């Protein structure tokens, strides 16, 4: 017997993974363009690649959304987003988002004008050997785009989680799509955290004073850089292959 022709729903499901990969690839290309820019301080603007990743996941979900049929069956037990979330990963990402906010608040409150008179891009420090003006520093010029991208991506992730949870489908599909959404949000959180912590660490390392507080800050920033880098790589893997992680950790 000839194989049955694929339905519209089947084609939509087949397009979901490629579109998600295209979003991630676009984010990586933007990341590469930012990293190799002749302006070294634009490395702080890592929220934009994360937004590309989130946009790819959202687009994939819109394409793969099944058309509602004529007959719908109401469920007596309401579905909740928290029942499908990967709890340990979500908690780790929430903690890193808080760390990112704390670092940006510290950076904004201590930022000064740089050598060219541009506000919010440098750190001015008075040491016994003389004053130091170090840049780039993630002050307001860099903080607001980062916070704006994080807020926009978080809203998009929340909307996507709700869409996936409330609509028809099976639990396995929901877990796969929700894990992909959390992976995209993780990239959006971890990449800016890596950039901000690394930039602050380089500036702190260049200080000629500060004593033991400098050592403590360097250790804290080094741990943050390492943790955020590992988290970003892990979340990218979760984004690209969510079904593997759902099978391993349902």
């Amino acid at each position: 017997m000839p194989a049955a022709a694929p339905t519209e729903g089947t084609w939509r499901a087949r397009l979901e993974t490629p579109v998600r990969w295209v979003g991630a690839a676009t984010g990586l290309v933007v990341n590469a363009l930012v990293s190799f820019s002749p302006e070294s301080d634009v490395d702080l603007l890592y929220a934009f690649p994360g937004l590309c990743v989130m946009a790819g996941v959202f687009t994939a979900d819109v394409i793969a959304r099944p058309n509602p049929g004529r007959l719908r069956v109401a469920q007596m037990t309401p579905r909740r987003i928290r029942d499908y979330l990967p709890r340990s990963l979500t908690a780790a990402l929430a903690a890193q988002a808080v760390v990112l906010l704390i670092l940006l608040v510290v950076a904004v409150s201590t930022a000064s004008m740089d050598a060219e008179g541009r506000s919010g891009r440098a750190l001015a420090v008075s040491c016994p050997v003389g004053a130091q003006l170090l840049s780039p520093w993630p002050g307001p010029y860099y903080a607001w785009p980062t916070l704006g991208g994080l807020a926009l991506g978080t809203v998009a992730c929340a909307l996507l989680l709700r869409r996936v949870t409330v609509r028809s489908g099976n639990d396995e599909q929901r877990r796969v799509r929700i894990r992909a959404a959390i992976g995209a949000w993780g990239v959006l959180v971890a990449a800016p955290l890596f950039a901000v912590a690394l930039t602050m660490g380089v500036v702190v390392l260049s200080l000629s004073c500060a004593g033991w507080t400098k050592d403590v800050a360097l250790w804290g920033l080094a741990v943050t850089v390492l943790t955020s880098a590992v988290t970003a790589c892990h979340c990218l893997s979760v984004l690209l292959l969510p079904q593997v992680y759902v099978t391993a950790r349902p």
Side-chain angles (χ1 to χ4, degrees):
M1 293 180 61
T7 64
E8 181 182 358
T10 303
W11 282 112
R12 286 171 175 265
R14 290 179 180 177
L15 284 173
E16 183 177 5
T17 299
V19 171
R20 205 158 50 218
W21 279 66
V22 167
T26 303
L28 291 175
V29 170
V30 174
N31 189 357
L33 293 176
V34 169
S35 297
F36 291 100
S37 170
E39 299 292 335
S40 60
D41 56 358
V42 301
D43 289 348
L44 289 170
L45 306 178
Y46 274 98
F48 298 105
L51 286 176
C52 295
V53 173
M54 180 60 71
V57 175
F58 205 102
T59 303
D61 181 77
V62 171
I63 291 175
R65 180 178 182 177
N67 290 327
R70 293 185 178 180
L71 179 63
R72 297 182 66 110
V73 179
Q75 292 187 344
M76 299 301 295
T77 304
R79 293 188 293 268
R80 301 174 302 180
I81 295 175
R82 64 184 182 185
D83 294 333
Y84 298 94
L85 287 176
R87 295 183 181 179
S88 57
L89 179 59
T90 304
L93 293 176
Q96 292 190 35
V98 172
V99 173
L100 175 60
L101 292 176
I102 292 174
L103 290 181
L104 288 177
V105 168
V106 172
V108 168
S109 61
T110 56
S112 305
M113 290 189 299
D114 63 6
E116 298 179 10
R118 299 175 298 182
S119 63
R121 302 194 188 193
L123 176 68
V125 181
S126 298
C127 294
V129 296
Q132 284 186 286
L133 186 63
L134 304 169
S135 63
W137 180 253
Y141 177 79
Y142 308 103
W144 299 132
T146 301
L147 290 174
L150 180 61
L152 183 61
T154 301
V155 171
C157 184
L159 292 175
L160 181 56
L161 293 178
R162 185 180 183 279
R163 281 167 53 90
V164 173
T165 303
V166 301
R167 73 165 179 249
S168 60
N170 58 57
D171 280 350
E172 183 178 356
Q173 290 175 338
R174 292 191 192 94
R175 293 186 188 280
V176 167
R177 289 167 181 163
I178 284 180
R179 195 158 293 234
I182 293 299
W185 187 65
V187 174
L188 188 66
V189 170
L193 178 59
F194 171 82
V196 169
L198 181 62
T199 304
M200 294 179 74
V202 171
V203 169
V204 172
L205 185 64
S206 303
L207 292 175
S208 58
C209 56
W212 64 269
T213 56
K214 173 181 176 179
D215 297 332
V216 172
L218 281 177
W219 273 106
L221 291 171
V223 171
T224 303
V225 168
L226 178 60
T227 303
S228 58
V230 173
T231 301
C233 293
H234 175 69
C235 287
L236 188 60
S237 300
V238 172
L239 164 67
L240 297 178
L241 298 170
Q243 60 275 10
V244 175
Y245 290 89
V246 168
T247 302
R249 297 179 181 180

